[in-house]
Amino acid sequence: MQMLNKRLLVLLVAVIFGAVFSLPSLIDTNLTKDMRKITLGLDLQGGLNLLLGVDTDAAIISRYASIASSIEYEASQKQILLSPIQAQDASVQFDIIDADDIPALNSMLDTMRGIKYETSQNHYIVAMTPLEQDEVRKQAIAQAISTIRNRLNEFGLGEPSVTQQGRENILVELPGIKNTQQEERVRALISKAAFLQMMAVDEDRVARVYSMSDFEAQSANDVILEFAESTKEASIAKKNGQEIPKLLLKAVPILDGSMITDARLAYDDKHRPVVSFELNSQGAKRFADFSSASIGKRMAIVLDGKIYSAPVIRARISSSGQISGDFAEEEAIDLAITLRSGALPAPLSVLEKRSVGPSLGTDSIKASMFALIGGFVLVVGFMIVYYSMAGVIASFALVVNLLLIIAAMAIFGATLTLPGMAGIVLTVGVAVDANIIINERIREALRAGENIARAIQIGYVNASRAIFDSNITSLIASVLLYAYGTGAIKGFAITTGIGILASIITAIIGTQGVYQALLPVISKSKRMYFWFGVSYAPAPAGASKSATKPATNSAPKVTNEPNQAKAINKDK
């Protein structure tokens, strides 16, 4: 029989694959620094754990403001005269001035998705359908997850985990946060709404802004907003002991940050950091139409409910603009990131915060490695003592199994967490269990008098059924844990799932290839205890199981004697 066979080739490929791709994660050298390696999770390298709550009611209110802006813009394009549109918490209300325009207005509203409207004479009440409200809430969660993930990726954090937890909560895990300053910056980056709006200044009433109440402003379909503390206007007012300046703005914005396609750090003519932005075609058209009709008037750039600048429009503006303020360069970069990654559709609140220090992560790694190495040594020692050379072969397969797990996790960019380490330790037990079943089936065949080649074949055939059944059920459990679990549970599911697949390759395919390669050597040797830890002498090669049993043809057939006696008596 040839030394090299298909199963042994599979094992050799697995050894090379596991060694090459697991090496960067095990040894940090110049040769492996650019190769993929396992990323340690929050509980192993330290970091920040945040549970965020999403205010989806605010997303509904924001959607109504967007609907009001769209109605106002579309009506102006079709030259339909409307009273000032009021965007409320649960509806948008307005009156139509000319009753002859009612058919055109109804036709326009019918084309808008997800809304319903009621009319009473010339008064309109527009509301979202229940299905649309549910969709807005779901989209708010999904968009918040996507926005947070984009911001963290652009910030440069490696392997952030952002997942939905429950109906309206988001779990954020940030490995590698090492100090309080970095933590505060990341929290500000995550929670910053970055809701940008271009709003017209109500030039007719702005002079009365300091004497006007919020209710009066609302009745005029306006809103009173203050300048941001970082602006030049606010700084001058603070130095003079005055209150922060504010402006009266029209409540319905001209456009919002959803129309931004790009935002970058730039510098003004005095080399001060600003944020420049570009608009999409829809935003550019709206911006151009408004600016051309409002030359000589002011337009406020509002971010998260604060005015950052209110320049006078000198000429028609189309597709770009900039946000100026007394920014530090780092603040301007973070603002550009938040605008570029998109606005949060709803405010976030921190429900729970946990920080894991790097020293605690190091302790976790040491404890996990002690458990893994200790368990591995005990298992290997038992296998070698109890199964002799078969235990050595099984232990080698176990090492290959571990290398395959590390290599697969490195290739797919998986994050290793503390539960993942527990999954690896569990995998050691699962993998060695397969080898124990195989070795016991081989022993049973040898004790029954089978020759070595036949005993190995029977052992693998009989053991494979039980191993496949148990591994498939375990693999299904791992898939379900990964699909429906979060955070730490996913890490456990990944390592156990990869370990199960690796154990099939090493235990069922690989070790059988080793036995097939060593079969001539084992057959010549009569030391079954050395190879399998069993003292029974096998039958010679080619001998059948029946040939090893004593002949029983000469034994008397006592069961027939009573019947024969009865027959003789009848004859008499």
Side-chain angles (χ1 to χ4, degrees):
M1 185 174 288
Q2 295 180 351
M3 290 289 291
L4 200 60
N5 55 76
K6 293 180 180 179
R7 291 183 174 87
L8 186 59
L9 279 175
V10 171
L11 181 63
L12 292 176
V13 170
V15 171
I16 296 170
F17 174 85
V20 170
F21 289 101
S22 64
L23 189 63
S25 300
L26 300 174
I27 303 173
D28 191 10
T29 64
N30 291 330
L31 294 175
T32 60
K33 64 180 182 180
D34 295 328
M35 297 177 68
R36 287 194 172 190
K37 58 183 68 176
I38 291 177
T39 303
L40 297 181
L42 177 69
D43 46 5
L44 293 180
Q45 67 167 308
L48 182 64
N49 182 301
L50 292 174
L51 182 63
L52 305 174
V54 183
D55 184 4
T56 55
D57 290 337
I60 297 291
I61 296 172
S62 176
R63 175 65 176 152
Y64 275 119
S66 178
I67 291 172
S69 178
S70 298
I71 291 174
E72 185 176 64
Y73 178 77
E74 293 295 334
S76 65
Q77 292 297 301
K78 298 180 183 299
Q79 298 183 343
I80 300 173
L81 297 178
L82 303 177
S83 66
I85 298 176
Q86 295 183 346
Q88 301 177 353
D89 292 353
S91 66
V92 173
Q93 299 189 28
F94 57 87
D95 293 324
I96 186 167
I97 305 301
D98 189 351
D100 293 338
D101 291 333
I102 289 178
L105 178 61
N106 290 345
S107 177
M108 183 191 80
L109 294 176
D110 289 337
T111 61
M112 298 182 70
R113 182 181 62 85
I115 67 167
K116 58 183 180 180
Y117 61 91
E118 299 175 358
T119 60
S120 177
Q121 296 181 349
N122 291 344
H123 184 70
Y124 278 74
I125 300 176
V126 180
M128 283 186 284
T129 61
L131 187 62
E132 180 70 10
Q133 290 187 34
D134 290 340
E135 187 65 24
V136 168
R137 294 181 190 276
K138 290 178 183 177
Q139 286 182 354
I141 301 292
Q143 186 180 339
I145 291 173
S146 176
T147 300
I148 292 171
R149 188 178 288 123
N150 290 339
R151 291 179 182 180
L152 294 175
N153 288 337
E154 293 202 34
F155 185 74
L157 287 174
E159 298 297 330
S161 173
V162 185
T163 54
Q164 183 173 349
Q165 192 166 69
R167 292 191 60 186
E168 297 185 352
N169 295 338
I170 299 173
L171 179 65
V172 182
E173 294 179 326
L174 304 171
I177 301 296
K178 295 180 174 59
N179 53 58
T180 306
Q181 183 180 1
Q182 195 176 22
E183 177 185 325
E184 291 298 327
R185 187 181 175 191
V186 169
R187 285 182 62 183
L189 187 69
I190 291 174
S191 59
K192 191 175 184 65
F195 188 56
L196 180 68
Q197 293 175 306
M198 309 292 183
M199 305 179 76
V201 177
D202 190 343
E203 302 287 0
D204 297 332
R205 302 182 182 88
V206 70
R208 298 190 295 111
V209 66
Y210 290 98
S211 61
M212 187 180 292
S213 65
D214 291 335
F215 179 77
E216 288 179 283
Q218 187 178 1
S219 63
N221 202 31
D222 287 340
V223 62
I224 300 172
L225 296 180
E226 293 182 341
F227 278 84
E229 292 187 3
S230 62
T231 59
K232 181 177 65 176
E233 290 84 356
S235 300
I236 294 173
K238 283 182 178 179
K239 287 181 181 179
N240 297 331
Q242 300 172 346
E243 64 176 303
I244 296 176
K246 48 190 176 181
L247 290 175
L248 185 67
L249 309 177
K250 294 185 178 179
V252 178
I254 305 157
L255 51 87
D256 56 43
S258 63
M259 301 174 186
I260 289 179
T261 58
D262 191 21
R264 300 285 173 187
L265 168 68
Y267 297 91
D268 61 13
D269 52 359
K270 294 183 179 179
H271 202 69
R272 292 176 299 191
V274 296
V275 177
S276 64
F277 59 87
E278 299 287 334
L279 299 170
N280 61 17
S281 57
Q282 182 185 8
K285 188 175 186 307
R286 287 195 188 186
F287 206 12
D289 291 345
F290 172 80
S291 58
S292 61
S294 306
I295 294 175
K297 297 180 180 179
R298 285 179 293 175
M299 180 195 68
I301 297 177
V302 179
L303 183 68
D304 294 340
K306 297 291 182 181
I307 301 171
Y308 276 79
S309 61
V312 177
I313 299 173
R314 301 296 183 188
R316 184 176 183 272
I317 308 169
S318 57
S319 62
S320 63
Q322 71 177 27
I323 304 172
S324 59
D326 193 13
F327 294 126
E329 187 169 309
E330 189 178 88
E331 292 175 326
I333 291 172
D334 288 350
L335 177 56
I337 289 174
T338 55
L339 290 175
R340 194 164 56 246
S341 59
L344 287 173
L348 300 178
S349 58
V350 179
L351 304 179
E352 180 184 330
K353 186 197 85 167
R354 288 189 292 112
S355 296
V356 179
S359 60
L360 182 60
T362 304
D363 292 340
S364 299
I365 294 174
K366 289 179 180 178
S368 301
M369 290 303 297
F370 179 78
L372 179 59
I373 294 172
F376 182 81
V377 169
L378 289 174
V379 167
V380 168
F382 168 79
M383 292 296 291
I384 294 175
V385 169
Y386 194 74
Y387 291 107
S388 299
M389 200 62 193
V392 174
I393 296 171
S395 300
F396 174 73
L398 195 58
V399 173
V400 178
N401 191 314
L402 292 176
L403 292 177
L404 286 176
I405 294 173
I406 297 171
M409 292 184 69
I411 288 174
F412 293 110
T415 300
L416 181 62
T417 61
L418 195 57
M421 292 286 286
I424 293 177
V425 176
L426 178 63
T427 301
V428 171
V430 172
V432 81
D433 182 56
N435 286 285
I436 288 174
I437 295 173
I438 292 169
N439 289 335
E440 287 298 326
R441 294 294 179 269
I442 294 174
R443 280 179 161 194
E444 288 174 3
L446 290 173
R447 289 184 184 121
E450 299 288 355
N451 64 62
I452 294 171
R454 179 70 176 158
I456 292 173
Q457 182 184 3
I458 291 173
Y460 274 93
V461 169
N462 293 339
S464 295
R465 299 168 188 168
I467 293 169
F468 272 117
D469 288 345
S470 62
N471 282 349
I472 287 172
T473 53
S474 298
L475 188 61
I476 291 172
S478 297
V479 171
L480 292 176
L481 283 174
Y482 184 81
Y484 297 103
T486 58
I489 297 175
K490 283 182 179 288
F492 179 80
I494 288 172
T495 53
T496 53
I498 296 174
I500 289 166
L501 294 175
S503 69
I504 293 175
I505 295 173
T506 57
I508 297 179
I509 299 174
T511 57
Q512 189 174 5
V514 173
Y515 284 126
Q516 288 178 351
L518 295 175
L519 189 57
V521 179
I522 300 173
S523 299
K524 289 179 182 178
S525 171
K526 303 302 181 182
R527 300 163 60 195
M528 289 300 100
Y529 190 86
F530 172 78
W531 287 104
F532 299 103
V534 62
S535 299
Y536 297 90
S544 64
K545 182 178 177 181
S546 58
T548 63
K549 294 182 180 180
T552 57
N553 293 335
S554 59
K557 297 181 180 179
V558 295
T559 53
N560 292 333
E561 289 179 359
N563 293 331
Q564 291 174 357
K566 288 180 181 178
I568 292 170
N569 290 332
K570 277 186 178 181
D571 292 339
K572 287 182 179 181

